[in-house]
Amino acid sequence: MSHAWNKLQASAERLRGVHLRDLLQSEQRFEKLSFNAAHLLLDLSRQRIDEQVFAELLELANERQLDKAIKSLLRGEIVNPTENRPALHSALRMPAGTELIVDKANLVDGVQATLERMTDFVDKIHAGQWRGYSGRAISEVVNIGVGGSDLGPLMVCEALHEFKPQAADGVNIHFVSSMDGSQLSNLLLELNPETTLFVLSSKSFGTLDTLANAATAIDWLVERSGLNRELLIQQHFIGVTASPEKAIAWGIAEDSILKFWDWTGGRYSLWSGIGLPIALTIGMQGFRDLLAGAHAMDSHFAQASYEENLPILLALMGIWNINFQDIHAHAILPYDGRLAHLPAYLEQLEMESNGKSVKHDGELSDQRTCPILWGEIGPNAQHAFYQLLHQGTEPVMSDFIVPARRYEGRAAGLLEQHQLALANCLAQARVLALGDAALKDDSERPPWQRYAGNQPSSVILMETLNPASLGSLIALYEHKVYVQAVIWGINPFDQWGVELGKKVANDLIEALRQPVSGSYDQATDGLLAAIQQLQEEN
Ligand code: F6P
């Protein structure tokens, strides 16, 4: 165990029994523990820390040589050793005219060239010049993808829908991910094949979920048009992938492919061609603003000292809570309905990245790593799971995310509704921290009306929610995940854990066609037999 780690353990002991209501009494706590950068204010004053813990956490970052690790990431060194590659999502948001030389090539040139190609696609679709088989302009775009090829674009499109430029009027974006065809089957009942374009988004172009949806989509086009399959694929499919040869083999025309690179992880890919639905929704300028917001956070991450570096501080609070406060549940609570998909996006980002127990050296970690993340739009969650946060037995850390300004120039009622959301956000963070002490009248009450409080939280306040501030927010979490991985000594950029399930599923597809009893474990054999019986009865 390292020096700083031991100190933090001693501090955890020292602070045992000290309640957040006591810590919140310390002078100028908010001033000392709130930080501004890249369109965001991060308030850590409701974390169970004091000045000594803050200093010890910075010491830990120092001990783990975080500065070196950050440079390795941003310079394109191999930070994903199990797949022998860098993780260069930050290069995707570097502005034109800048330079990042990796293997003797300036990556920024390739990135900018792809953005130009994306612009062509977007312009053509917005101008009604991308036409389907009957000559009618495309008006419906269906993104088919899963995981990082779905959650990022879906989350951003939903969050920034009101930034839709006039040019995008008349183009509707839909998302299809689930392998069982639930979303697609509903859409195919509504859409007109003549005016529908499918975007096949898959880094590997080998994900069964996506290929199954794509196969159903092309069958639908063939059936409804009576036309040739190859021709329909060429007119009605765009491919976004890091494996263009597979997309071409599937039938997609080479000039309908947006390529990206294997150094872009799936859950870090919304900044690449995978962001095409975003650019179709908010226009290329909006997409570039999103990139610029993320780049502002990248620059801050690269340059700011540890004690005012937002991603580092957010990460260190997590380390303190998980490893020294024994908190293993993390709630993501946006107080803005536009961020409805943020919890699902962060679930993949954090849990697929840091849900690991083997360290770089192959040894099992003796520390706890990524907690269980979940979340919901805050005001709705108040009527669902906040009961557990307030009076349950589980310690939970929460992130509250809220814009200060919204609905400018809109109806007074909407402005009032935003104030209501803000008041509730502040109230919940306060009650979770203080418990009963948040009440002005603390008279006698029965035990079931008492609140223990002491649940830590961070508040991320955005001036407004717009492409730049959202870009910065997402990059904040990406870098937070990296910092935690460095401290835990794990690789956040691979996902071997999901591979085994895929292999076993392939095997079971055969077994469903032709079950042979005694092939698997008792539970699987039993269910295979039950399914077969139910299917035969029909
Ligand atoms: O199975 C997990 C995963 O590989 C994710 O990491 C990824 O975002 C998702 O599947 C989709 O992968 P692809 O973009 O290659 O279809």
Side-chain angles (χ1 to χ4, degrees):
M1 213 60 69
S2 76
H3 194 54
W5 199 273
N6 289 336
K7 282 191 186 174
L8 283 160
Q9 270 174 338
S11 274
E13 209 39 58
R14 176 176 58 80
L15 287 180
R16 194 177 300 281
V18 176
H19 196 281
L20 264 171
R21 72 175 160 261
D22 306 318
L23 293 168
L24 273 158
Q25 308 273 337
S26 72
E27 228 164 273
Q28 293 195 305
R29 186 166 172 92
F30 180 80
E31 287 73 14
K32 287 182 188 158
L33 289 175
S34 60
F35 307 87
N36 282 285
H39 317 284
L40 305 177
L41 180 154
L42 175 64
D43 168 23
L44 303 176
S45 60
R46 290 194 185 91
Q47 293 292 342
R48 296 180 194 162
I49 57 166
D50 60 7
E51 286 185 29
Q52 187 176 327
V53 171
F54 189 82
E56 288 164 356
L57 286 167
L58 298 179
E59 205 179 314
L60 177 67
N62 233 333
E63 254 183 28
R64 299 290 153 103
Q65 299 189 305
L66 202 55
D67 50 345
K68 265 197 183 166
I70 293 172
K71 282 193 184 108
S72 299
L73 174 78
L74 301 177
R75 281 183 186 159
E77 289 164 23
I78 306 286
V79 289
N80 176 1
T82 66
E83 295 175 317
N84 193 31
R85 54 197 184 209
L88 273 168
H89 35 286
S90 53
L92 297 169
R93 38 239 196 183
M94 285 179 70
T98 54
E99 223 181 38
L100 179 69
I101 308 288
V102 178
D103 289 339
K104 297 191 184 139
N106 182 11
L107 295 189
V108 181
D109 293 341
V111 167
Q112 291 299 323
T114 304
L115 283 169
E116 290 309 319
R117 266 174 69 69
M118 243 173 119
T119 308
D120 293 343
F121 284 34
V122 170
D123 286 350
K124 201 168 164 192
I125 294 169
H126 281 173
Q129 287 164 359
W130 197 301
R131 294 178 188 277
Y133 62 82
S134 69
R136 289 181 62 187
I138 292 299
S139 61
E140 312 299 318
V141 178
V142 182
N143 188 78
I144 301 183
V146 71
S149 301
D150 168 67
L151 292 167
L154 171 66
M155 183 268 287
V156 177
C157 285
E158 180 91 9
L160 299 178
H161 198 262
E162 67 195 44
F163 291 87
K164 195 170 176 164
Q166 231 178 9
D169 280 351
V171 177
N172 303 308
I173 314 291
H174 312 268
F175 287 88
V176 161
S177 57
S178 83
M179 68 160 64
D180 67 336
S182 301
Q183 297 145 314
L184 188 60
S185 68
N186 287 339
L187 268 181
L188 297 186
L189 294 176
E190 288 165 19
L191 298 183
N192 180 347
E194 292 172 62
T195 53
T196 301
L197 175 72
F198 293 95
V199 178
L200 270 190
S201 290
S202 176
K203 178 180 175 186
S204 59
F205 219 86
T207 304
L208 278 185
D209 322 42
T210 299
L211 294 178
N213 277 316
T216 303
I218 184 61
D219 286 351
W220 173 74
L221 282 165
V222 171
E223 199 184 301
R224 294 285 296 269
S225 68
L227 293 173
N228 169 286
R229 188 183 181 87
E230 281 67 41
L231 220 109
L232 287 166
I233 294 185
Q234 301 227 336
Q235 271 179 300
H236 286 263
F237 280 84
I238 287 177
V240 186
T241 184
S243 306
E245 63 303 331
K246 288 193 193 160
I248 292 169
W250 196 83
I252 299 185
E254 199 167 349
D255 54 9
S256 298
I257 293 176
L258 274 179
K259 200 172 82 86
F260 63 103
W261 301 269
D262 71 351
W263 44 255
T264 306
R267 52 193 171 275
Y268 299 87
S269 64
L270 70 89
W271 323 99
S272 70
I274 293 289
L276 181 63
I278 303 174
L280 286 168
T281 302
I282 61 173
M284 262 332 269
Q285 187 51 50
F287 189 65
R288 285 182 186 275
D289 292 345
L290 181 83
L291 299 180
H295 179 68
M297 183 54 75
D298 295 338
S299 306
H300 166 77
F301 183 49
Q303 289 157 17
S305 60
Y306 290 177
E307 57 265 46
E308 48 192 34
N309 192 309
L310 269 58
I312 294 180
L313 294 174
L314 194 59
L316 291 174
M317 292 309 121
I319 297 286
W320 171 248
N321 286 328
I322 297 159
N323 300 115
F324 301 95
Q325 299 290 298
D326 221 9
I327 303 179
H328 307 293
H330 189 165
I332 303 295
L333 305 168
Y335 272 70
D336 185 320
R338 294 170 295 180
L339 294 172
H341 294 288
L342 183 68
Y345 171 78
L346 291 180
E347 281 164 19
Q348 187 199 13
L349 178 66
E350 298 226 6
M351 296 201 280
E352 199 173 69
S353 297
N354 282 345
K356 316 273 166 74
S357 50
V358 174
K359 295 185 292 179
H360 282 297
D361 59 10
E363 295 291 315
L364 266 186
S365 172
D366 47 12
Q367 317 298 346
R368 300 284 288 260
T369 60
C370 188
I372 292 168
L373 248 92
W374 91 111
E376 180 56 82
I377 301 170
N380 294 3
Q382 287 177 203
H383 302 282
F385 59 75
Y386 272 43
Q387 170 62 35
L388 179 145
L389 306 188
H390 288 302
Q391 290 186 317
T393 53
E394 285 301 313
V396 178
M397 56 188 146
S398 304
D399 287 0
F400 291 92
I401 300 150
V402 68
R405 297 200 328 254
R406 191 180 173 187
Y407 294 132
E408 278 148 351
R410 301 285 304 276
L414 288 173
L415 280 165
E416 213 31 64
Q417 282 192 261
H418 180 55
Q419 296 300 89
L420 192 63
L422 273 167
N424 271 273
C425 177
L426 297 183
Q428 293 297 334
R430 180 170 150 77
V431 173
L432 283 174
L434 299 180
D436 286 331
L439 288 167
K440 294 213 167 100
D441 164 27
D442 197 13
S443 47
E444 260 315 282
R445 271 166 297 122
W448 53 89
Q449 284 179 16
R450 300 208 72 92
Y451 303 84
N454 211 26
Q455 297 274 41
S457 64
S458 303
V459 177
I460 301 173
L461 183 66
M462 315 164 101
E463 188 182 327
T464 60
L465 175 62
N466 59 35
S469 62
L470 184 61
S472 171
L473 179 77
I474 302 168
L476 166 70
Y477 277 99
E478 286 178 345
H479 295 321
K480 168 215 158 171
V481 163
Y482 179 66
V483 171
Q484 292 191 332
V486 171
I487 290 179
W488 288 321
I490 57 177
N491 179 357
F493 299 118
D494 61 9
Q495 57 284 319
W496 296 104
V498 292
E499 295 306 321
L500 180 62
K502 290 185 196 172
K503 280 195 196 121
V504 176
N506 277 338
D507 202 29
L508 277 163
I509 290 176
E510 277 313 306
L512 275 167
R513 284 193 197 114
Q514 231 174 4
V516 181
S517 75
S519 309
Y520 297 94
D521 57 278
Q522 286 205 39
T524 310
D525 287 338
L527 285 170
L528 281 169
I531 290 167
Q532 190 188 25
Q533 195 183 341
L534 288 167
Q535 290 185 342
E536 278 170 6
E537 273 169 17
N538 195 339

